[in-house]
Amino acid sequence: MNYSDVERLQWIVCLSLKTVLHPWRHRSAGPQVRVKRDWIIPPIRVSENSKQVPEDLVQIKSDKVFTGEVIYMLEGPGVDQDPKGLFEIDEKTGWIKSKMPLDREKHKSFKLKAFALSPSGERLESPTTIEIYVLDQNDHRPEFTQKEFIGTIPEFSVPGTSVMQVTAIDSDDPMTENAALSYFIVEQESIPPHSINKTMFGINNKTGVIYTRDVGLDRDVVQSFKLTLQVADMSGMGLTSTGHAIIHISDINNHAPKFHPTTYNINAMENKYIAELGRVNATDKDQKGGDNWRIKYTIVNPSGHFAIRTDSVSNQGIISVVKPLDYESQAEYRLIVKAENEVRLKAPYEQIHSATVTVRVMNENEAPVFYKNPIKVTVAESIVPGTVLVSDINCEFLFRFEIIQDPENWLAINHGTGQITARRSFNIRSPHVRNNIYSAIVKVIDQDAGGISATATLEVNLWETNDYPPVLIPLSGTVCSDRDRDKLGLLLSAVDEDMSPQADPFTFYIADQIVAANWTIITLNETHAVLQPLMDIEKGEFSIPVVVSDSGSPSLSSNALVNVTVCPCDSFGDCKSYTAAIFGTKMGISFIALMIIMGCIALLLLLLVLAVAVKGCTRQNIRKGRGLLVGASDDDIRDNVFHYDEQGGGEEDEDAFNIDFLRNPNCGLPRGKQPLRKDAPYTLPSPTYPRKPPGDPTDIEDFINVGLDAADNDPNVPPYDTALIYDYEGDGSVAGSLSSIASMGSDGDQDYDYLNDWGPRFKKLANMYDPR
């Protein structure tokens, strides 16, 4: 009887007991109380792959079996759940049996439920749990995780250097010796075969790590190894399997490249770019195609004409000409070329190798050469025609020079010397000038060499000059009188055909100081300004002389009259009516001032006519063809004109009507109480009026013109002041009384044509006396 049979027999006996092990604990004075007991069955261990099937595992028995019939039932995985059909129970006896061999690798354990039922299906006992564990057997071989393991080890690695780790798995229970693995190297092969005969590698039996055991891993001798591996369970005493490992010896840079040969002779044609002039050859014993094998070539004494690069396939150095050679300058070059690896050399005793390359330059009959191309020159656009731009074109051979491209025909060239001059002034705004550069092409021809020629580009860099003055815009506009003072004004700007810095910023100012007392210009930015009045103006038309200047050196400016209409505006900024033109003049004189001027002139002329009438008693004294102020007597006609102190002072000047000989307070305000105009600059000096007559005046017309000129240039009396002052009006009048005017005859016989000769100021008076 084995251990499992004894164990099953013990538990059958325990289940058959009707009382507990200590029955005295249930004794008492009164009636005995039955204590319900649960089934307690320890785990059942069953060996996998058992040949005895079906096999009795354990028997359960209920204490109800003595009171009546009991039916035993079993359920759980392996019975009525997947995997089904592994276990069963005898309904009568309670024996649990295995129906087929078990596999631990598929199912390690089972947990079942056992029931005791009456024939009617009533549960007699509480269900009990039955655990079945499957015991492992060494029925699986260990297997390597890869068919072939690949590893790499650098050459000349020291003993004990880890190469790689191999692994294997065993499906048996890892907690048993059935899965305890050991690793072995059973065979070593070198590639090439028999290159190394000693054992170079070992393996850790427990971990599977492969390591180096000896020195001598030279890649030049051996490139790789093939190892045959074995793994066994039961700590090396059980089942086994084999595998393979390939170990490659990797290259290190322990060889320096060397030239074969070390001297080279190459011929090169002058004046040419040559992609491959010749090759130099260096070899490296390291692994071909690897990083340690690649060579980098360098020209130790570069001249700027040559370059060298590496052919990635052959590892040779290719010499090229990157700057054309000149036989006349240098006929031979001696180059020192060195070769070294791209990867740092790990063998310091190896020296960098070098070779000598001699390049002989071959002469050819070349075309003339420009030493400068392009030929650059910088001039002003307003250059004077005939100015020399290029005096020496610096050509190696001077033959015949031509300008073959000059789109604006601005240039001229001396065909023998190559001297280039300006044919006429340039224009920087030409469509052929790009970025201020005008380009032309110069050609030189070698007639002795079969017409071989060369060309060069002439770049004329033009800088802007101040050629055009700015033009003021606009020349007319409307100013709304019913707007805020800050928003009141006319926006001015300017247009300049020059470019920066000869154009903006612009400067605006009023040319006339008298007008500047009533108007001002406020600068907004570099190109715009606002023309604003300094006083309140409701209506009128004004002409403002404005000067605009640019920022050129020297600066240029232009004058213009800006016609400004001041008027009430609607919401669109347009004048509400056209009556503003009626209440103003283009000279900046208001309508009221104009009426005062006309009234004063009419009063003056009336007084002159009265003086002439007083002098003559009859109209027979006036002869046909004689002027009104030319008397029949030899006395000066000016003696017949009375003297008045003041007859002009401006629109607000009340002294213009304060006639001395009348002394009538109703005709004007007393002296010293006249109101002053708010817009008149009284601080400026006024010109001297001819208040006293000359010693012997001969022509009152000249006298009047002098007074007019003085009044026109009076800064304290701007255009609003129209009443002029005439002190001298003649003396020694023969008129006895103003009442004699009534005795004058009709004016119908008088000729007043001479008034037209006095100028436009007396035109209105002449029209009044026109007999037509």
Side-chain angles (χ1 to χ4, degrees), residues 37-55:
R37 296 177 290 105
D38 290 334
W39 296 344
I40 301 174
I41 302 177
I44 301 170
R45 292 172 172 81
V46 181
S47 178
E48 68 172 336
N49 305 318
S50 175
K51 303 297 185 181
Q52 300 177 5
V53 289
E55 180 181 4

Side-chain angles (χ1 to χ4, degrees), residues 79-92:
V79 181
D80 56 351
Q81 299 177 15
D82 290 334
K84 297 179 180 180
L86 296 180
F87 305 99
E88 64 179 359
I89 190 170
D90 190 318
E91 295 181 354
K92 302 293 184 180

